[in-house]
């Protein structure tokens, strides 16, 4: 497995692969890797000749200074996991390498970013758009792999690919969970043992809400019951719960066809902000 910290080193390696007509799969990550990331890497390695994983804690997508400072960084362990997962190349640039100058360009994704994560984290999706488009230009992948866990990010990236005519396929993988249902996340490492025991309630409330809707309760009533359930667990400070269409991310009055609706939540638990969603 090759490890690059410079754009020029990465480009040199990739140009050799293009000469040999190799297909490239890219998995953008911020490191502190877990099985959710590795499922994407394994898929990229299986579906392409060359799997490239980027590890970069992207400052432009953080609106909270403490979240950026405390974001877990575990490069050596990540490299070992990537080796085992069959990754061929890792791109782990410094902030200076990624941003030799502060970008002037600003992305505005309209209605898909004025809600949920976009509303709670101003500038977040601009930062995502900037870094993902830079990575797409640097790597020129045939396929790029993203997790459904970040449902709104998937919508934003798909929109960007369409609007800017990136010639690549976006591949989305389901959320990988711990045995107790908690969605795997790099930020879970920052939970105390007591908080870690409370965290699975997020998934339990998501599944209960889905079940209520599937049993015929209205979306409005199911959402109300979810709000009640969150308020019964004082450690989980709810930022939002929205029941939306997976494509437009707009609120829905009633569920659509199977697989086109999602319940999305964000909560603060101790020092950590956690997001999750359930498609139904
Ligand atoms: P991150 O390092 O958090 O920026 O995540 C990198 C990629 O991994 C994103 O496309 C995420 O959606 C995806 N990802 C993160 N957690 C999970 C998970 N539990 N299951 C599947 N994909 C995930």
């Amino acid at each position: 497995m090759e490890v690059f910290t410079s754009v020029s080193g990465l480009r040199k390696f990739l140009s050799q692969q293009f000469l040999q007509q190799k297909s490239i799969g890219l998995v953008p990550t911020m490191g502190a890797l877990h099985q959710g990331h590795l499922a994407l890497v394994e898929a990229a390695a299986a579906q392409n000749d060359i799997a490239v994983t980027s590890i970069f804690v992207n400052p432009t997508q953080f609106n909270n200074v403490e979240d950026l400072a405390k974001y877990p960084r575990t490069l050596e362990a990540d490299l070992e996991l990537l080796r085992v997962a069959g990754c061929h190349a890792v791109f782990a640039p410094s902030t200076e390498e990624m941003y030799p100058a502060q970008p002037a360009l600003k992305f505005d994704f309209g209605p898909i970013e004025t809600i949920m994560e976009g509303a709670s984290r101003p500038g977040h999706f601009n930062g995502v758009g900037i870094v993902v488009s830079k990575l797409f230009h640097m790597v020129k992948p045939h396929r790029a792999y993203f997790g459904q866990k970040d449902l709104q990010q998937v919508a934003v990236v798909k929109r960007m690919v369409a609007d800017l005519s990136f010639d690549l396929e976006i591949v989305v993988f389901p959320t990988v969970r711990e045995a107790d249902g908690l969605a795997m996340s790099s930020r879970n490492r920052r939970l105390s043992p007591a908080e870690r025991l409370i965290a699975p309630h997020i998934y339990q409330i998501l599944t209960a809400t889905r079940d209520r809707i599937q049993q015929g309760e209205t979306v409005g009533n199911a959402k109300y019951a979810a709000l009640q359930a969150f308020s019964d667990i004082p450690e989980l400070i709810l930022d939002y719960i929205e029941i939306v269409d997976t494509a437009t991310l707009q609120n829905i009055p009633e569920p659509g066809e199977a697989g086109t609706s999602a319940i999305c939540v964000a909560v603060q638990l101790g020092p950590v902000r956690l997001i999750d969603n359930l498609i139904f």
Side-chain angles (χ1 to χ4, degrees):
M1 186 175 77
E2 308 270 355
V3 181
F4 302 101
T5 53
S6 74
V7 181
S8 59
L10 174 76
R11 283 199 159 129
K12 209 162 141 196
F13 166 80
L14 288 170
S15 60
Q16 314 236 310
Q17 310 308 317
F18 291 127
L19 275 178
Q20 297 169 58
Q21 315 254 310
K22 299 268 174 85
S23 61
I24 312 287
L26 169 66
V27 184
T29 82
M30 299 203 297
L33 301 181
H34 51 67
Q35 198 49 50
H37 297 114
L38 297 175
L40 301 179
V41 173
E42 284 161 11
Q47 297 173 1
N48 303 275
D49 297 316
I50 300 289
V52 179
T53 302
S54 61
I55 298 178
F56 179 61
V57 182
N58 174 36
T60 65
Q61 73 187 69
F62 283 80
N63 62 319
N64 179 322
V65 182
E66 190 186 334
D67 190 26
L68 173 61
K70 300 239 170 102
Y71 198 87
R73 291 160 169 89
T74 58
L75 184 62
E76 283 312 311
D78 290 350
L79 295 180
E80 198 42 49
L81 289 170
L82 289 173
R83 234 172 244 124
V84 174
C87 183
H88 300 91
V90 179
F91 178 48
S94 65
T95 303
E96 296 69 34
E97 183 71 8
M98 203 61 174
Y99 293 109
Q102 196 55 29
L105 179 68
K106 292 262 185 283
F107 283 93
D108 178 350
F109 294 100
I112 54 171
E113 77 155 334
T114 52
I115 45 165
M116 300 198 288
E117 291 305 285
S120 294
R121 305 178 67 189
H124 171 66
F125 287 117
N126 174 58
V128 168
I130 296 277
V131 80
V132 172
S133 54
K134 280 168 92 77
L135 288 167
F136 285 175
H137 284 302
M138 289 167 180
V139 178
K140 299 189 179 66
H142 298 86
R143 297 184 189 86
Y145 294 78
F146 291 87
Q148 178 212 301
K149 164 145 187 297
D150 298 277
L151 187 75
Q152 196 171 5
Q153 172 169 280
V154 167
V156 160
V157 169
K158 282 185 172 169
R159 186 71 217 210
M160 187 183 79
V161 164
D163 286 3
L164 296 180
S165 306
F166 279 104
D167 185 16
L168 54 85
E169 182 191 346
I170 299 294
V171 185
V172 182
F173 265 73
T175 302
V176 178
R177 298 180 180 281
E178 303 286 356
D180 58 15
L182 176 65
M184 289 193 184
S185 164
S186 306
R187 289 183 175 90
N188 292 351
R189 294 169 196 242
R190 295 187 55 216
L191 296 171
S192 71
E195 288 156 356
R196 176 63 188 80
L197 287 176
I198 291 167
H201 282 290
I202 300 168
Y203 183 62
Q204 286 163 19
I205 296 173
L206 281 175
T207 52
T209 307
R210 176 203 55 197
D211 292 348
R212 281 172 185 276
I213 296 171
Q214 288 184 334
Q215 285 156 15
E217 228 173 85
T218 64
V219 164
N221 283 350
K223 184 172 168 180
Y224 183 75
L227 291 172
Q228 288 288 319
F230 276 112
S231 69
D232 287 344
I233 307 166
E235 293 86 352
L236 292 179
I237 300 165
L238 184 66
D239 180 357
Y240 61 76
I241 174 159
E242 302 292 354
I243 302 176
V244 301
D245 178 281
T246 52
T248 65
L249 298 184
Q250 303 308 303
N251 283 296
I252 48 169
E254 53 197 49
E257 274 176 38
T260 65
S261 309
I263 310 165
C264 303
V265 295
V267 301
Q268 186 78 29
L269 176 55
V272 186
R273 189 168 180 281
L274 298 173
I275 63 169
D276 199 354
N277 66 75
L278 198 60
I279 294 182
F280 66 102

